[in-house]
Amino acid sequence: MLEKTTRMNYLYDFYQELLTGKQRDYMSLYYLDDFSLGEIAEQFSVSRQAVYDNIKRTETILEQYEEKLHLYEKFQKRRQLLNNLAERLKGKMTDEDQLCSLQIVKELNELD
Amino acid sequence: MLEKTTRMNYLYDFYQELLTGKQRDYMSLYYLDDFSLGEIAEQFSVSRQAVYDNIKRTETILEQYEEKLHLYEKFQKRRQLLNNLAERLKGKMTDEDQLCSLQIVKELNELD
């Protein structure tokens, strides 16, 4: 379950701009703010089932975007490669070169 | 015009999986294979205007995806940073460290 929550958080992060306002509202309350289905239902004056259905549907949509664009998969590979690179750079150059190279690695990480 | 063609080629590359089959057919013939509107119209037995409208609409869709996901923009920034990094690594470490580091940079470039 924790694994699914982590994955959904990332998928939401990458593809939220492609969702509707309501899908974003429900997903962010449920996955980011840890609201229960009942709490979300109460807040929007809809049934618990309606919230559940909407969230399940949105999860499917996010997985479909990931199947097509692979942004989360690429992010994970990139993160791994950048970590390997940062490790390899340490202690191998002058302090200044190392500082500048690691700064670039940091900027690359922040682009995702 | 060349600039627009380059941009559309990249946007198509990043977002083609989100288009319909027909949108992909027209776009790839027009932008990748350099067919004229008339040639595409003939091939699909539709009017030149229909092809034109479809391609204009698809261009708008691609720009809307880019406004939301910024994949082309991030690709350009990443390419620039990786080029800077590769330049900085050259001649600063042992041959083996340099080879391995530049190999990782290559893999990062290929991820896009």
Side-chain angles (χ1 to χ4, degrees), chain B residues 7-84:
Chain B
R7 181 175 175 83
M8 278 302 145
N9 269 305
Y10 273 109
L11 294 186
Y12 180 75
D13 205 36
F14 285 117
Y15 303 112
Q16 60 178 294
E17 291 300 323
L18 302 177
L19 300 176
T20 66
K22 192 165 81 174
Q23 287 168 338
R24 278 205 294 271
D25 286 342
Y26 289 2
M27 286 297 281
S28 65
L29 287 172
Y30 189 68
Y31 277 109
L32 307 185
D33 301 331
D34 205 26
F35 275 44
S36 71
L37 294 172
E39 287 168 333
I40 300 170
E42 202 179 322
Q43 183 153 338
F44 288 87
S45 305
V46 296
S47 70
R48 188 182 174 288
Q49 185 66 38
V51 175
Y52 177 82
D53 291 345
N54 188 294
I55 288 177
K56 285 293 135 191
R57 172 88 189 107
T58 306
E59 287 172 1
T60 304
I61 292 171
L62 292 176
E63 289 291 355
Q64 285 169 341
Y65 280 129
E66 176 62 11
E67 254 176 58
K68 291 177 175 173
L69 298 181
H70 310 285
L71 298 188
Y72 180 41
E73 183 191 330
K74 287 181 179 181
F75 160 80
Q76 287 176 304
K77 286 184 184 167
R78 195 176 290 124
R79 189 57 44 108
Q80 183 67 50
L81 286 166
L82 287 169
N83 284 343
N84 293 350

Side-chain angles (χ1 to χ4, degrees), chain A residues 12 20-30 40 44:
Chain A
Y12 180 75
T20 67
K22 191 164 80 173
Q23 287 168 337
R24 278 205 294 269
D25 287 342
Y26 289 2
M27 285 297 281
S28 65
L29 287 171
Y30 189 69
I40 300 171
F44 287 89

Side-chain angles (χ1 to χ4, degrees), chain A residues 81 88 92 97 107 111, chain B residues 74 81 88 92 97 107:
Chain A
L81 286 167
R88 186 163 284 276
K92 303 287 174 56
D97 280 325
E107 286 173 43
L111 256 186
Chain B
K74 287 181 179 181
L81 286 166
R88 185 164 284 277
K92 302 289 174 56
D97 281 324
E107 285 172 41

